[in-house]
Amino acid sequence: SSRQGELRPSLSAAPNPVRSSVTIHLPAASASPLRIFDAAGRTIRTLPVTTGSVSWNRTDDAGRPVKPGIYFGSARISGRDLTLKLVVGR
């Protein structure tokens, strides 16, 4: 079997499902900002990335808590768009 998939940069998050906050790990610190968007594609939070990880406390850009549901984190790293599914619990 091909091992190419393991070499691709990817995002990971823990804990996921998200309870109070989540730490998203990126393969590189020089990533673009991490965008959190909802299932409809609306950007609800933009987080600057200065290290290889960034935390999100389940709030939107105005500081309001987001509703439980499915969200996505996305960052552009080395010319690729990487996306991660985040499940926000109650």
Side-chain angles (χ1 to χ4, degrees):
S1 74
S2 164
R3 297 191 46 170
Q4 218 172 354
E6 294 169 37
L7 303 174
R8 263 198 216 124
S10 65
L11 305 179
S12 63
N16 194 8
V18 181
R19 288 194 171 50
S20 57
S21 73
V22 59
T23 299
I24 299 152
H25 298 278
L26 302 100
S30 61
S32 64
L34 181 85
R35 284 189 324 114
I36 307 280
F37 56 95
D38 64 16
R42 289 180 297 246
T43 299
I44 55 165
R45 186 76 188 266
T46 304
L47 298 163
V49 178
T50 53
T51 61
S53 67
V54 63
S55 289
W56 177 47
N57 62 355
R58 288 181 55 164
T59 59
D60 64 15
D61 278 328
R64 296 176 297 239
V66 301
K67 295 186 177 103
I70 304 295
Y71 294 85
F72 298 90
S74 180
R76 191 159 181 86
I77 296 168
S78 306
R80 291 176 121 130
D81 289 312
L82 303 182
T83 303
L84 169 76
K85 182 174 168 182
L86 297 165
V87 178
V88 173
R90 302 208 169 276

